[in-house]
Amino acid sequence: MMLLMPILIPMFAAALSMIIWRHRTLQRWVSVVTNSALLIAALILFNDVYNNGIQVTHLGGWEAPFGISLVADLLAVIMVTVSAFVAFCIAIYALATMNEDHEKFGFYPLLHLMLAGVIGAFLTGDIFNLYVWFEIMLVASFGLLILGGEREQMEGALKYVTLNLLSSALFLSAVGLLYSYAGTLNMADLGSKLSTSENAGVITVISLLFLVAFGIKAAAFPLFFWLPASYHTPPVAISAVFAGLLTKVGVYALYRVFSVIFVGDIAFTHHTLLLWMGILTMITGVLGAAAQFEVRRILSFHIVSQIGYMLVGLALFTPLAITGGIFYLFHHIIVKTNLFLISGVINRRHGTNKLDKLGGLYKSAPVLSILFAIPAMSLAGIPPLSGFFAKYVVIKAGLDAQAWLMVVASLAVGLLTLYSMIKIWSEAFWKPLPNTGETKSLMSDGERFCMYFPIILMAGMTITIGLYAEWFIQLASMAAEQVMNPQVYIDAVLGGQS
């Protein structure tokens, strides 16, 4: 039952929010209470998996591979727990930032439905149900993206939904081909059957469809342009949860299918295609960020560049590289969400995120300056913050694998990331406020608490991961061990039938 709770809680919250549609205050309380419950349920499930191993539930009493299976290994439960933490922070932040128009058009039901889709994607053990959860997430996220109906939002949403619908079409086509070939959609059963298949060419072609479909959803090169065109347009609470979670579901799906199902042609799919995709994603993303002069646009391009580190971790496919990729996943979710939340505070104070109209925050908001410096320096990989250890493990894995181009690209991207963070610091915080800049009305104490409390929580988590990096790297290493040994996952789901 505990395996179901992280999915049931946001689904229940979405339904309840629909019932109390006209009651804004009740919807807010439901959001905070249910996301708190989601975090507690995720922590309980994490503890169970950490201490007792992979947990599996077969819905309806139908054993795998015939029924619907939910599976929580360490990788899945890490993602669920971090997602629940983000959801809790967003629920509090939204209390001060979501206006009546956004709330009355369905912000809370859509948010909960999207969270259900995200967590369902992490926990499903069935490739078709992975598609279903992706679609739930896509529909809800599209609804959130167009809240407010401003011109810029609609333009970004058009690019967002077009590319993601293409991804969904490729995904569904790949699922159909996979089922026609293997006769099953259970991921563990697929892994068992395809590992002994003699028709490697057909499997590789099908795997490429999944690579393109999930690559689009992860905003990987070359089909990433929908992300920086759309993520800066909605209200900041929505941007933040998008930045933290949505692309990571695509990355998670790549880790899952290219470790359990498609491992027969690693030299081509991993060491060639995924490696080049990761390198080019890093480079194009960071160059795009360097050319921007609006805070959320810079941060959006850096989502793309940082996805590259996660992809090269999977591409190298060594225990250390997978460890680094997983560590990078949960580190980046927290850091990137926090930076978007901070951009919301900046916008609240000055009414803009354009760097040429900002300044003086170092003096006028010293606490905010410190809170920005923590995730910004972590994103750039400055010790002793979490980003340093994430980059270190990935680059060390590249050195061990003699992937010299990947190592050079990773170091160069790290320096350009630092440049972007320094640019934001110097323009928004250090230089004097220009005469054209405006200072908006001050926040009330309640609004200040709701906006700063999640930022402080996430900054504290970033510091904690850095200071206790040994434990978190060990956790990522345990998860990587399961990823590198898919037979453990297969046996847990199929009960030794494989």
Side-chain angles (χ1 to χ4, degrees), residues 302 306 328 332 335-336 339 375-381 391 417 421:
H302 274 300
Q306 303 299 301
Y328 218 108
H332 186 260
V335 165
K336 185 58 68 175
L339 284 169
M377 294 301 101
S378 181
L379 190 73
K391 282 184 170 64
T417 303
M421 296 302 104

Side-chain angles (χ1 to χ4, degrees), residues 224-299:
F224 62 85
F225 60 84
W226 59 268
L227 190 154
S230 59
Y231 272 27
H232 68 287
T233 60
V236 70
I238 297 173
S239 288
V241 74
F242 279 19
L245 298 182
L246 293 194
T247 53
K248 311 313 179 300
V249 181
V251 174
Y252 169 86
L254 286 169
Y255 269 73
R256 182 61 71 202
V257 301
F258 282 95
S259 64
V260 175
I261 302 174
F262 303 116
V263 290
D265 193 7
I266 290 177
F268 178 63
T269 57
H270 292 65
H271 299 334
T272 302
L273 289 180
L274 273 168
L275 185 60
W276 275 106
M277 183 183 288
I279 292 171
L280 292 172
T281 301
M282 279 193 286
I283 294 171
T284 53
V286 81
L287 291 178
Q292 302 301 313
F293 287 89
E294 198 268 358
V295 175
R296 282 204 286 175
R297 282 185 178 270
I298 294 171
L299 298 178

Side-chain angles (χ1 to χ4, degrees), residues 238-397:
I238 297 173
S239 288
V241 74
F242 279 19
L245 298 182
L246 293 194
T247 53
K248 311 313 179 300
V249 181
V251 174
Y252 169 86
L254 286 169
Y255 269 73
R256 182 61 71 202
V257 301
F258 282 95
S259 64
V260 175
I261 302 174
F262 303 116
V263 290
D265 193 7
I266 290 177
F268 178 63
T269 57
H270 292 65
H271 299 334
T272 302
L273 289 180
L274 273 168
L275 185 60
W276 275 106
M277 183 183 288
I279 292 171
L280 292 172
T281 301
M282 279 193 286
I283 294 171
T284 53
V286 81
L287 291 178
Q292 302 301 313
F293 287 89
E294 198 268 358
V295 175
R296 282 204 286 175
R297 282 185 178 270
I298 294 171
L299 298 178
S300 295
F301 272 101
H302 274 300
I303 297 172
V304 176
S305 71
Q306 303 299 301
I307 291 294
Y309 286 93
M310 304 167 206
L311 293 181
V312 297
L314 175 61
L316 295 175
F317 210 65
T318 64
L320 185 61
I322 296 293
T323 297
I326 294 172
F327 191 102
Y328 218 108
L329 263 169
F330 63 77
H331 136 77
H332 186 260
I333 289 172
I334 295 170
V335 165
K336 185 58 68 175
T337 303
N338 203 14
L339 284 169
F340 268 83
L341 295 184
I342 291 168
S343 76
V345 178
I346 294 173
N347 188 278
R348 187 65 170 267
R349 293 183 64 92
H350 291 286
T352 183
N353 279 138
K354 294 181 179 179
L355 294 180
D356 60 343
K357 295 182 179 180
L358 294 173
L361 285 169
Y362 176 72
K363 290 184 177 180
S364 64
V367 173
L368 183 65
S369 304
I370 296 171
L371 292 173
F372 169 79
I374 293 170
M377 294 301 101
S378 181
L379 190 73
I382 302 300
L385 300 168
S386 60
F388 168 77
F389 296 100
K391 282 184 170 64
Y392 172 80
V393 176
V394 171
I395 292 172
K396 177 65 166 61

Side-chain angles (χ1 to χ4, degrees), residues 2-3 6 41-56 70-81 123 256 475 478-479 482 489 492:
M2 282 311 305
L3 193 48
L43 289 170
I44 293 172
L45 180 61
F46 174 86
N47 182 67
D48 195 13
V49 174
Y50 183 79
N51 291 305
N52 302 314
I54 298 175
Q55 302 297 306
V56 182
L70 297 177
V71 187
D73 63 355
L74 270 174
L75 174 58
V77 82
I78 287 170
M79 298 303 291
V80 169
T81 305
L123 293 178
R256 182 61 71 202
L475 174 64
M478 293 167 61
Q482 292 181 351
Y489 179 95

